[in-house]
Amino acid sequence: MSLLRVCTITRGERIARWAAAVFVAAIAGSAATTGVWALALPASLGALLLAAMAITGWCPGVAATESADAAPNTLGIPEARQRIDLD
């Protein structure tokens, strides 16, 4: 089970994330050349995250503990898809 869930995004949304990553990377590069490292470092991390989201399709709002609702299986075997409460 992956810790990073993939959400369904369209090709247009991936292109928009790439465009945002390029824009934020340009801001980071501009800030780095002028010596404003307080802006350059977070902007660089943001650009890397946006590029990773564009490549993998990862959505930051989808937590690893949430699972998609699946149709019941056809074999009638019980599944352990409910949350476990340890209280």
Side-chain angles (χ1 to χ4, degrees):
M1 181 170 157
S2 174
L3 291 177
L4 301 177
R5 297 285 174 117
V6 176
C7 61
T8 56
I9 60 173
T10 63
R11 179 180 291 258
E13 290 170 329
R14 286 188 181 212
I15 292 171
R17 288 180 184 185
W18 270 112
V22 169
F23 180 74
V24 174
I27 291 173
S30 174
T33 58
T34 59
V36 185
W37 294 104
L39 174 65
L41 293 176
S44 299
L45 291 174
L48 287 174
L49 280 175
L50 281 168
M53 288 172 18
I55 292 169
T56 63
W58 171 66
C59 293
V62 179
T65 58
E66 296 176 2
S67 64
D69 292 334
N73 61 25
T74 57
L75 300 175
I77 301 171
E79 297 181 20
R81 292 192 180 191
Q82 69 273 9
R83 290 182 178 236
I84 298 173
D85 190 18
L86 299 176
D87 291 332

